[in-house]
Amino acid sequence: MRFVLFVLALLAMPFAAHAGETSGKLDSQPRIAIISAFEPEWIALNRDVQDRREWIVNGVRFVGGTMKGRPVLLFLSGVSMVNAAMTTQLALDRFTIRSIVFSGVAGGLDPALDVGDVVVPDRWGQYLESAFARADGTGFAPPIQRATGENFANFGMIYPNGVRVRRTGDETGKDRRFWFEVDPGLLATARKLAPQVALSRCSGTLCFRATPKVVVGGNGISGPVFMDNAEFRQYAFQTFQAQVTDMETAAVGQVAYANKVPYIAFRALSDLAGGDPGENQAPAFYRIASDNTAKVVVAFIGAVEMPR
């Protein structure tokens, strides 16, 4: 009797509990991966998922299903560059991913943009992939030669640099780059779609200063810090000509580049990264900004051609 109960208990254990201990693909269905960094962004997107199925791998919940008739896989990357890189590679290893879409909030750098705008950059770079230089009496002396061809201006002791990348078909490690371009086809779909999506200006009594808009093009930068400094914001805009900054997308872009998987990112401005008129606005606006990003992403999924 005890043996029977033991066998029944084993059979009752959910598959997801063992997913982190197995190897190979968990699902053969080609899907569009939709990534968010934290809960409010995730909640907004989950409302539009049909035919749900879930897996848990290494503590990460993956939700499969359809969105606008397209097979999708939703998951949270967690906040930060390391979390984003780790969970994106995990998804690519365990699922059949044809393209990657990041949906979330971010800080605005471009003075022409305002809180609430949704930005879809052409490319993303890691602005703190850098050398911290020692003082030499008159300034700072970078300890290494920069090799990306960009030669970005330094911010005090911080000298931005590129990162060496290994990818399928190039294991030399000589490919050093700062920017990771988004997929041109996905970007073209976003550009065509942008004028058609009506974004919300208010949620209850909380309203953006102006009606938000979707802006396609330009640069995005990512780093492992929450930027809330007016001086660094000005430097970042002038140096990288960046419209937006976050803590994940460039890491996802690097993983996508290494695996030769197309990617794109949609980021709604929840704050101005230190340029806010008073205190940082993210605590007030990240929910409505997340909802607006989700509106654009859901419409994008309905419009994009499913890659084979």
Side-chain angles (χ1 to χ4, degrees):
M1 182 65 178
R2 289 180 180 175
F3 176 76
V4 173
L5 291 174
F6 175 72
V7 172
L8 290 173
L10 286 177
L11 291 174
M13 293 179 69
F15 172 77
H18 296 280
E21 302 170 9
T22 60
S23 60
K25 299 288 186 182
L26 298 176
D27 178 45
S28 61
Q29 171 67 58
R31 298 181 186 273
I32 302 170
I34 306 176
I35 311 173
S36 297
F38 77 126
E39 201 73 21
E41 302 163 339
W42 159 272
I43 292 171
L45 287 162
N46 265 267
R47 301 184 190 118
D48 288 276
V49 177
Q50 309 295 322
D51 308 315
R52 295 173 65 92
R53 181 184 178 189
E54 295 190 6
W55 302 263
I56 297 177
V57 188
N58 294 358
V60 180
R61 176 182 293 178
F62 294 91
V63 175
T66 59
M67 180 181 288
K68 296 290 185 179
R70 271 62 168 184
V72 295
L73 182 76
L74 276 65
F75 61 96
L76 289 175
S77 66
V79 176
S80 91
M81 303 286 279
V82 174
N83 281 334
M86 179 175 66
T87 53
T88 302
Q89 188 62 60
L90 179 63
L92 291 171
D93 289 342
R94 308 306 293 277
F95 297 92
T96 308
I97 305 300
R98 291 292 183 257
S99 58
I100 297 170
V101 177
F102 207 108
S103 174
V105 299
L109 299 176
D110 188 341
L113 302 178
D114 208 342
V115 172
D117 291 339
V118 176
V119 185
V120 192
D122 295 295
R123 56 184 185 170
W124 289 82
Q126 303 179 46
Y127 68 91
L128 281 183
E129 191 71 43
S130 57
F132 281 20
R134 65 174 62 191
D136 65 359
T138 58
F140 297 94
I144 60 174
Q145 181 179 3
R146 294 185 288 174
T148 63
E150 298 285 354
N151 197 29
F152 295 118
N154 61 301
F155 184 82
M157 70 175 186
I158 304 174
Y159 284 74
N161 208 349
V163 61
R164 295 189 185 276
V165 185
R166 296 178 186 272
R167 67 189 306 219
T168 302
D170 181 8
E171 294 79 27
T172 64
K174 294 180 180 179
D175 183 5
R176 188 166 194 151
R177 59 183 51 245
F178 181 87
W179 297 111
F180 293 92
E181 310 285 339
V182 308
D183 180 76
L186 298 180
L187 194 69
T189 299
R191 183 169 282 112
K192 182 178 179 180
L193 180 75
Q196 305 172 23
V197 183
L199 302 179
S200 299
R201 186 184 172 210
C202 298
S203 177
T205 59
L206 182 67
C207 295
F208 296 123
R209 184 170 60 181
T211 301
K213 57 187 178 297
V214 181
V215 179
V216 181
N219 298 331
I221 56 174
S222 306
V225 297
F226 183 90
M227 190 190 299
D228 191 31
N229 181 275
E231 186 179 5
F232 197 92
R233 176 183 189 258
Q234 183 179 14
Y235 159 80
F237 174 65
Q238 292 176 346
T239 302
F240 306 109
Q241 293 297 296
Q243 281 64 54
V244 61
T245 182
D246 66 24
M247 299 176 66
E248 297 86 23
T249 304
V252 173
Q254 181 175 334
V255 174
Y257 175 79
N259 288 272
K260 295 186 177 180
V261 176
Y263 88 103
I264 192 170
F266 298 79
R267 291 286 191 169
L269 306 187
S270 59
D271 64 281
L272 298 179
D276 309 88
E279 63 185 20
N280 188 281
Q281 299 175 81
F285 287 116
Y286 69 81
R287 291 188 184 278
I288 182 173
S290 295
D291 287 345
N292 272 341
T293 317
K295 285 182 181 179
V296 182
V297 168
V298 171
F300 173 82
I301 295 298
V304 73
E305 182 178 346
M306 181 65 188
R308 296 180 179 180

